[in-house]
Amino acid sequence: MDSSLKFLLEELALKYTIPLSLYDGKKVLTFPQGETCPKDLQAALIDHIIDFDVVDYFHIDGLIYSSFDCHNRNKNTLSVLIGPYAVQDLIETAVLSDTQFSIPIFNSNLLQRKEFTSFTGIIHNLLKHSALPPTPDWLNSDETLHEIYQLSKSNVESRRESDSFEDSVELEKRFLDAVRRNKPSRVEWIISKVSSTYSAQLSMNSLENVKYKCVGIITLLTRISINSGISAIRAYSLSDSLIKSLDQIFNLQDCLRFIKEASFMFIELIHHFPYSQKSDLVKKILFFIDSNIYNRITIDDISQFTGRHKTHISSEFKKEMNQTIHNYINKKKVFEAKHLLLLSDQSYKEISTTLQFSSQSHFSHVFKKIEGISPAQYRLKNNLNFMAIE
């Protein structure tokens, strides 16, 4: 990064008193100088799904953040994290004392939320040379963050007063335990009980209320996956695709079916791809395949990535995984195809092209060999009401 850009970022961070961190693929730079990006945020900045089309906004314990990805002048990827910007009504004193940032405190009104958005827009324009996309409703709403907090507080109190609160907590524990133990039938039974025990209202719209709960479940499943040794890239890739697919769900029954299918996908991800017990070489191979599942993958590509001879990597992989690299790649591509069949309206030809199969017939042959049924039968069997485009 050239000195003039560093100077501008330093001055802007000081003027707005909002810290920002940038990761250029090699190191994390933080502005103003002297600030330190906390380890958990730094890890998220380094290891996340790159998306050049969106700007994400989120808040944790009253701390507001925004983030986006862009290219620097050398065409290398640059990941940007702006914040934290603290909300006095939402933050506890203990949070302030523990943080490593010098966090500005502001009252939770619309004008000051727009100040944070304005700063994000300036940095976005400076680095991406384009206008800031629309911001989320919770940053623009006339409803203050304090009012949003009061709604959350009211929900917590109503849960505590409800007879079903303890049941909800107990079911959540059992649900997570069933996922960890690879018990899909137990998961299905628990999901059937959720609607009668979880009553906290997250939205005035009943469908949106259930969708918010879906996002919460996916978040928990993603954390379990990463803690089980699955790569963060793979876990977040599945999480992102599932959350995006919620836009295509229009009734409560499909929401419940969605939760069940999402749970089964994470169970398959966790228990069929155990990274943690493998050697460093095999982990590298698995990581490379995960990261390039939408590309054509050859043994030569893997050999170049690992720096080992292709005969050696083929031998070691088969020894630890009890299958050839070629078979594993096919299983991974079929696993990804199942997501696309369930969560998109792509045709079978489009899916075969997306996953780099040589033809649609080759895709169907490989899918049926692994799953025992054709892609069309799989989509019909799961009955998620997605229309296949032939």
Side-chain angles (χ1 to χ4, degrees), residues 22-38:
L22 297 89
Y23 176 62
D24 61 3
K26 296 180 180 179
K27 60 181 178 179
V28 175
L29 300 175
T30 305
F31 304 90
Q33 290 185 14
E35 297 285 3
T36 303
C37 185

Side-chain angles (χ1 to χ4, degrees), residues 19 21 28 30-39 41-42 84 99-102:
S21 302
V28 175
T30 305
F31 304 90
Q33 290 185 14
E35 297 285 3
T36 303
C37 185
K39 290 182 179 180
L41 292 177
Q42 184 170 315
T99 184
Q100 295 170 289
F101 278 107
S102 302

Side-chain angles (χ1 to χ4, degrees), residues 183-228:
K183 302 289 185 181
S185 59
R186 188 68 175 168
V187 167
E188 190 168 6
W189 179 84
I190 292 171
I191 290 172
S192 70
K193 296 291 183 181
V194 167
S195 59
S196 63
T197 59
Y198 193 108
S199 58
Q201 187 170 355
L202 305 179
S203 170
M204 297 302 293
N205 181 298
S206 59
L207 178 59
E208 290 301 312
N209 195 41
V210 177
K211 285 187 177 183
Y212 287 138
K213 295 174 185 177
C214 289
V215 173
I217 289 172
I218 292 170
T219 300
L220 291 172
L221 292 172
T222 303
R223 290 175 183 170
I224 290 175
S225 299
I226 295 173
N227 290 339
S228 299

Side-chain angles (χ1 to χ4, degrees), residues 34-205:
E35 297 285 3
T36 303
C37 185
K39 290 182 179 180
D40 55 343
L41 292 177
Q42 184 170 315
L45 187 63
I46 293 172
D47 188 13
H48 71 285
I49 303 300
I50 302 296
D51 191 338
F52 297 105
D53 298 325
V54 300
V55 177
D56 289 321
Y57 296 87
F58 55 98
H59 55 89
I60 305 173
D61 295 328
L63 306 178
I64 298 180
Y65 304 84
S66 61
S67 64
F68 59 87
D69 299 302
C70 60
H71 290 108
N72 61 17
R73 293 182 179 179
N74 297 323
K75 303 300 181 182
N76 295 322
T77 299
L78 193 67
S79 298
V80 183
L81 174 69
I82 299 173
Y85 199 44
V87 184
Q88 191 171 22
D89 291 325
L90 299 183
I91 196 166
E92 298 291 341
T93 306
V95 175
L96 285 175
S97 62
D98 290 342
T99 184
Q100 295 170 289
F101 278 107
S102 302
I103 303 174
I105 303 295
F106 66 89
N107 294 323
S108 58
N109 58 51
L110 181 59
L111 178 63
Q112 287 159 321
R113 273 179 275 157
K114 284 187 173 180
E115 182 176 347
F116 178 79
T117 305
S118 174
F119 179 71
T120 300
I122 292 171
I123 301 301
H124 186 274
N125 191 284
L126 179 64
L127 297 177
K128 297 195 71 167
H129 309 290
S130 62
L132 190 68
T135 53
D137 291 341
W138 64 270
L139 275 174
N140 299 316
S141 172
D142 289 332
E143 184 181 48
T144 66
L145 291 176
H146 177 72
E147 290 168 335
I148 296 172
Y149 167 69
Q150 290 301 322
L151 175 62
S152 173
K153 183 178 179 181
S154 174
N155 268 329
V156 171
E157 291 173 350
S158 67
R159 289 178 189 174
R160 288 171 178 167
E161 294 170 359
S162 170
D163 292 336
S164 66
F165 175 69
E166 292 297 335
D167 289 338
S168 296
V169 173
E170 186 60 32
L171 278 176
E172 181 179 296
K173 290 179 181 178
R174 292 183 181 183
F175 169 76
L176 298 178
D177 184 65
V179 171
R180 291 190 186 98
R181 294 175 179 271
N182 192 15
K183 302 289 185 181
S185 59
R186 188 68 175 168
V187 167
E188 190 168 6
W189 179 84
I190 292 171
I191 290 172
S192 70
K193 296 291 183 181
V194 167
S195 59
S196 63
T197 59
Y198 193 108
S199 58
Q201 187 170 355
L202 305 179
S203 170
M204 297 302 293
N205 181 298

Side-chain angles (χ1 to χ4, degrees), residues 309-368:
H309 193 275
K310 55 187 179 182
T311 302
H312 177 69
I313 61 175
S314 297
S315 173
E316 291 300 310
F317 189 91
K318 188 171 184 179
K319 185 191 301 181
E320 292 192 37
M321 299 295 292
N322 295 316
Q323 60 184 308
T324 65
I325 292 177
H326 178 71
N327 286 341
Y328 179 80
I329 292 172
N330 280 341
K331 287 181 179 179
K332 291 290 290 185
K333 285 185 178 289
V334 166
F335 181 67
E336 196 71 20
K338 287 162 66 176
H339 300 168
L340 298 175
L341 288 166
L342 292 176
L343 305 173
S344 80
D345 59 0
Q346 290 187 47
S347 69
Y348 308 119
K349 183 177 181 180
E350 288 172 333
I351 293 174
S352 68
T353 301
T354 298
L355 290 169
Q356 299 293 313
F357 284 95
S358 58
S359 65
Q360 181 179 337
S361 60
H362 179 227
F363 163 58
S364 297
H365 173 75
V366 172
F367 191 98
K368 188 170 184 178

Side-chain angles (χ1 to χ4, degrees), residues 230-238 269 290 332 335-336 339:
I230 301 300
S231 70
I233 290 178
R234 186 68 194 87
Y236 282 117
S237 176
L238 176 56
L269 177 66
D290 274 353
K332 291 290 290 185
F335 181 67
E336 196 71 20
H339 300 168

